[in-house]
Amino acid sequence: MPRTQIQRARAGEVTPAMERIAERENRDPAFVREQVAEGQAVIPANHAHDSLDPMIIGREFSTKVNANIGNSEETSDIDGELEKLHTAVHYGADTVMDLSTGSDLDRIREANVAHSPVPVGTVPIYEAVKRAESAEDITHDLLLDVIEKHAEQGVDYMTIHAGVLMEHLPLTNGRKTGIVSRGGSILAQWIEENGMENPLYAKFDEICEIFADHDVTVSLGDGLRPGCLADASDEAQYAELDTLGELTREAWDRGVQVMVEGPGHVPMDEVAENVRRQQEVCDGAPFYVLGPLVTDVAPGYDHITSAIGATEAARAGAAMLCYVTPKEHLGLPDEEDVRD
């Protein structure tokens, strides 16, 4: 029995979600089904997310925008996070990511899913490292437990940094800013301390089984994304991208929807090439980029510098853009930053 949108699309079924999306995007339902079946678009729609109004992410559809929200030990509570969620959706966010790292993670996640009409994403490695108390103490079973819990709570897509491999780490040694992705740095530390391969890579088959059971879309994270223009488009970034291409095909084979995350800091004249390369390596899977930022020298104004790179990325075919707030590089956003 087909369980996921991609499995149902491959079986020739136009699902209610596809019909709703066709209406919203002014497209033929058969075209929506075809794009999902071929992996060229995703419909993040966990079976347990009852408040969801389905949407689609793919280069042949309107470009979507994600808003990051989340708390830390020092900032925000459930009410504050729900205010940020409401603000993000009110001002046009197509998805939100709950990047909370503080207290009450379960309750905040459940509240966001319950109140969000748009897909909700998470990064499970953040909770795993909090529960383990140190990166090197994360176990394979703990990771799978956290991922399964997020899926059961109704999370629609999860960032999984499965492309950061042991062999890639030496490629970052000559960088100006090293590994800046929080998920990437956690996994790099785990690999170095344990002398073993990335557990998200090692357990990718089991992760796909969980995702297929709940129809969670995997967002393949760019754990080696460049943290400054000088590091953009380097050997480490592209080595990880090649691995993400392999993982894209593995997830498709297991009936899991896939999108691929991208940088970060990219010189303006390299943005289009980054999009083109991802589309080629990952066989057209939707590309989800952070910004990109086209200058390193504007902390406090990165909502503006990222909009420049985002325009170039969208023009080149990026399917979803992650907003960047004025607080990027400085701290977690408050409601005002979300609105800006």
Side-chain angles (χ1 to χ4, degrees), residues 6 35-36 38-44 56-61 64 217-220 241 244 248 252 256-262 275 278-279 282-289 317-321:
I6 190 171
Q35 288 287 297
V36 174
E38 294 177 355
Q40 306 302 288
V42 298
I43 302 173
I56 195 164
I57 302 167
R59 65 180 297 161
E60 295 298 326
F61 301 91
K64 304 306 189 295
T217 296
V218 60
S219 188
L220 292 171
L241 179 60
L244 298 185
T248 295
W252 282 343
V256 175
Q257 301 186 91
V258 183
M259 57 184 173
V260 179
E261 297 182 14
V275 177
Q278 181 275 342
Q279 292 289 277
C282 299
D283 295 339
F287 199 25
Y288 166 29
V289 295
M320 186 159 76
L321 313 168

Side-chain angles (χ1 to χ4, degrees), residues 144-191:
L144 292 175
D145 285 347
V146 170
I147 290 169
E148 186 155 28
K149 180 178 68 175
H150 286 213
E152 290 172 348
Q153 287 177 314
V155 170
D156 302 290
Y157 67 98
M158 297 185 211
T159 294
I160 302 294
H161 299 90
V164 179
L165 302 187
M166 186 182 296
E167 66 191 66
H168 298 159
L169 301 187
L171 302 178
T172 67
N173 290 340
R175 283 182 161 186
K176 298 290 186 186
T177 53
I179 300 175
V180 298
S181 159
R182 182 163 188 259
S185 62
I186 290 168
L187 288 160
Q189 182 181 345
W190 191 96
I191 292 168

Side-chain angles (χ1 to χ4, degrees), residues 9 30 38 56 97 123 163 180 184 194 219 243 261 265 273 305 326 334:
E38 294 177 355
I56 195 164
M97 289 202 78
V123 187
V180 298
N194 290 282
S219 188
T243 303
E261 297 182 14
H265 292 252
E273 169 58 20
T305 62
D334 57 25

Side-chain angles (χ1 to χ4, degrees), residues 2-320:
R3 296 168 291 176
T4 67
Q5 292 289 333
I6 190 171
Q7 289 174 326
R8 295 167 74 179
R10 288 171 179 168
E13 180 184 353
V14 175
T15 66
M18 295 173 198
E19 291 177 347
R20 169 63 176 147
I21 287 161
E23 177 186 346
R24 292 177 64 176
E25 299 269 346
N26 195 26
R27 306 303 288 264
D28 190 305
F31 177 75
V32 176
R33 185 203 65 77
E34 179 182 285
Q35 288 287 297
V36 174
E38 294 177 355
Q40 306 302 288
V42 298
I43 302 173
N46 188 312
H47 299 150
H49 190 170
D50 297 330
S51 62
L52 182 68
D53 187 6
M55 52 80 71
I56 195 164
I57 302 167
R59 65 180 297 161
E60 295 298 326
F61 301 91
S62 59
T63 307
K64 304 306 189 295
V65 176
N66 170 70
N68 287 342
I69 59 176
N71 83 328
S72 69
E73 290 292 359
E74 292 77 32
T75 65
S76 190
D77 54 15
I78 289 180
D79 291 339
E81 288 308 304
L82 289 178
E83 287 177 3
K84 284 191 269 186
L85 169 67
H86 172 78
T87 299
V89 174
H90 178 75
Y91 284 100
D94 298 287
T95 74
V96 295
M97 289 202 78
D98 177 2
L99 305 185
S100 295
T101 58
S103 302
D104 283 338
L105 295 182
D106 281 343
R107 292 178 60 224
I108 288 175
R109 190 180 311 114
E110 288 174 352
N112 280 331
V113 171
H115 289 86
S116 179
V118 302
V120 175
T122 59
V123 187
I125 193 71
Y126 293 176
E127 180 176 351
V129 74
K130 183 176 177 64
R131 284 174 54 178
E133 296 186 352
S134 64
E136 60 268 27
D137 292 333
I138 296 171
T139 66
H140 293 72
D141 287 343
L142 172 60
L143 268 176
L144 292 175
D145 285 347
V146 170
I147 290 169
E148 186 155 28
K149 180 178 68 175
H150 286 213
E152 290 172 348
Q153 287 177 314
V155 170
D156 302 290
Y157 67 98
M158 297 185 211
T159 294
I160 302 294
H161 299 90
V164 179
L165 302 187
M166 186 182 296
E167 66 191 66
H168 298 159
L169 301 187
L171 302 178
T172 67
N173 290 340
R175 283 182 161 186
K176 298 290 186 186
T177 53
I179 300 175
V180 298
S181 159
R182 182 163 188 259
S185 62
I186 290 168
L187 288 160
Q189 182 181 345
W190 191 96
I191 292 168
E192 291 180 341
E193 294 288 341
N194 290 282
M196 297 167 61
E197 190 54 275
N198 180 348
L200 292 173
Y201 181 83
K203 292 294 183 179
F204 194 68
D205 288 355
E206 288 95 324
I207 293 169
C208 284
E209 289 178 12
I210 294 170
F211 283 11
D213 284 342
H214 300 271
D215 201 0
V216 174
T217 296
V218 60
S219 188
L220 292 171
D222 54 335
L224 300 181
R225 67 174 180 268
C228 63
L229 300 189
D231 295 340
S233 308
D234 70 352
E235 193 175 0
Q237 177 190 332
Y238 283 157
E240 181 186 26
L241 179 60
D242 289 341
T243 303
L244 298 185
E246 297 169 10
L247 294 172
T248 295
R249 290 179 282 276
E250 286 188 30
W252 282 343
D253 287 345
R254 289 164 175 75
V256 175
Q257 301 186 91
V258 183
M259 57 184 173
V260 179
E261 297 182 14
H265 292 252
V266 183
M268 192 164 176
D269 63 338
E270 295 179 18
V271 172
E273 169 58 20
N274 269 258
V275 177
R276 184 205 64 77
R277 185 163 184 150
Q278 181 275 342
Q279 292 289 277
E280 179 181 318
V281 171
C282 299
D283 295 339
F287 199 25
Y288 166 29
V289 295
L290 178 67
L293 303 177
V294 295
T295 179
D296 300 332
V297 296
Y301 298 91
D302 283 330
H303 56 314
I304 298 170
T305 62
S306 72
I308 298 169
T311 302
E312 269 296 280
R315 190 168 70 91
M320 186 159 76

